[in-house]
Amino acid sequence: MPMTKQTDFSDFGFVRNFLHRILPNSQVVSLATILLTGSLLIYGLAGLLMPVFAAIVLAYLLEGLIAKLEHRQVPRLIAVCLVFFAFLTALIFIMFILIPIVSEQMVQLVQRIPEIVTSAQTEIMRFPKKHPELISEARIRDMMFSVQQSLLKYGQDLISGSAQSFAGLVAAIIYLFLVPLMVFFFLKDKKTLLNWFVQFLPTDRNLTVRVWQEVDLQIANYIRGKFVEVFILWVASYLTFYLLNLNYAMLLAVLMGVSVVIPYVGATLVTFPVLGVAYVQWGGSQGDEFMYVLIAYSLIQAIDGVMLVPLLFSEAVNLHPIAIIVAILFFGGLWGFWGVFFAIPLATLVKAVLSAWPRGGEVFIVK
């Protein structure tokens, strides 16, 4: 009988060791509580409080500029006003200048989808003539017709989607007025709001503070660097496409800038519209212009990968490409575009938590 009890006890020894290591460690319990509660609140309330979350993220990003001004002896209120004015200027430019231009060019491009697909079909139909044993012309026609209908439907849905609905209009108005207002107060009353928020956190949170300090600088540098990269790539692409007289230059430049949000995948996807538009515009007798676009596009991508990314993200955490792809799929599935955008910062947070988490008999001791 005693031997049986000893055997049963040893079977659950790993549970006893885990509880013995974790439960007495209030630092780990506090960190786990904060992470779990924060994740549940964000996931559960994202639909209702998305303007609040967006304002918090924007205020966090702008805080870096304010800190630099404060470091130069500029009073915080003046620094907040200057940074907020610059933020409003950029927002007005995006809402009332950039978006209308991009929307107009998108409509024009969607209307030309049948022409583009027909041109592509003409080129593709040369393949079965040369290799009839591989695929027939009828099969190619069926495939191209299916692609044409899918692209046309997708483009029409993109143009006349939720933005034209009443709910989408109300949401746009809320974001346009409410988010900037909250950003200003988050920046202006930062200390007051943080002191109010901290009182709801566990008192024994030294491990949490250590993890946050470890990832704060890296996450902030990554996100701010990503915004700078998007801006530089957008401006460089627009100037290049405009000088080359490429159609839909602003739309394609915006796609080039946004493509860097999704590492590896974005640069691949944006290649098709850029080279596709160039080929339809200059293919055939004027192929030299197409080659100029191809060379310029390749140079922009090479400069971004070889010079811009190492310069902007030298302090970012080095994550394995598999980890980046998994993070994009996971967080993108949870929160859509913003999940994709913040996939790498969130993966950095996960990596920091796993690195700081006690292992074996390790116990975190506050020094």
Side-chain angles (χ1 to χ4, degrees), residues 27 30 202-211 213 364 366-367:
Q27 301 290 321
S30 298
T203 56
D204 201 6
R205 54 177 182 271
N206 298 82
L207 178 59
T208 304
V209 172
R210 190 182 76 171
V211 171
Q213 290 175 344
F364 179 77
V366 183
K367 296 183 180 180

Side-chain angles (χ1 to χ4, degrees), residues 75-94:
R76 179 169 182 85
L77 183 58
I78 297 178
V80 168
C81 292
L82 291 175
V83 172
F84 185 72
F85 177 77
F87 166 71
L88 281 184
T89 303
L91 183 63
I92 291 173
F93 171 79
I94 292 174

